[in-house]
Amino acid sequence: MSQFAKVSVGAEARTELHDKLSLTGAEVSINHLPAGGGVPFVHSHKKNEEIYGVLAGKGKAVIDGETVELAAGDWVRISPKAKRQFFAAEDSPISFVCIQVKENSLEGYTMDDAVAEG
């Protein structure tokens, strides 16, 4: 049995990777909004924080009524209860990754969780 999974992502408006990669500890989605487009709803979460990384383009997020300008290279962490909505700029599409994980669930990371081989 293989210890990894690989998938290629196209230019769909939204691709969720939990099923495609058999994720067990996080939800990851790749999102593309056309210039002037936006996510058609405001949302929050019960338990999961979200980390957004802007891959290309520019736009904005409205988080609890505050506008946060976004551009390629920006990363934003949003707590579960914050109300959020994302928009592409009028003159630019935006592509971003969203990583969703249970808040306060990280017990170890990087070298704390690594096992040296050899």
Side-chain angles (χ1 to χ4, degrees):
M1 182 175 153
S2 179
Q3 296 296 315
F4 68 92
K6 177 185 173 187
V7 65
S8 292
V9 176
E12 296 86 5
R14 179 176 172 86
T15 302
E16 294 181 354
L17 298 178
H18 64 274
D19 287 338
K20 294 178 184 295
L21 293 175
S22 300
L23 300 177
T24 64
E27 165 62 291
V28 179
S29 65
I30 308 299
N31 304 270
H32 305 285
L33 296 173
V39 174
F41 56 88
V42 175
H43 78 284
S44 62
H45 288 275
K46 296 174 186 172
K47 298 179 181 180
N48 295 339
E49 66 186 9
E50 290 182 320
I51 302 96
Y52 290 88
V54 181
L55 304 173
K58 61 184 180 177
K60 67 181 179 183
V62 179
I63 305 166
D64 285 340
E66 182 178 341
T67 298
V68 179
E69 297 296 328
L70 299 170
D74 289 345
W75 287 84
V76 179
R77 180 234 175 233
I78 304 176
S79 65
K81 295 189 183 336
K83 292 175 176 49
R84 67 210 72 173
Q85 188 173 18
F86 286 79
F87 302 90
E90 289 298 321
D91 62 347
S92 172
I94 190 170
S95 296
F96 57 92
V97 60
C98 176
I99 304 163
Q100 188 180 132
V101 295
K102 184 177 179 184
E103 187 177 44
N104 298 314
S105 65
L106 186 62
E107 295 178 3
Y109 56 93
T110 313
M111 292 309 295
D112 293 339
D113 189 56
V115 178
E117 301 292 327

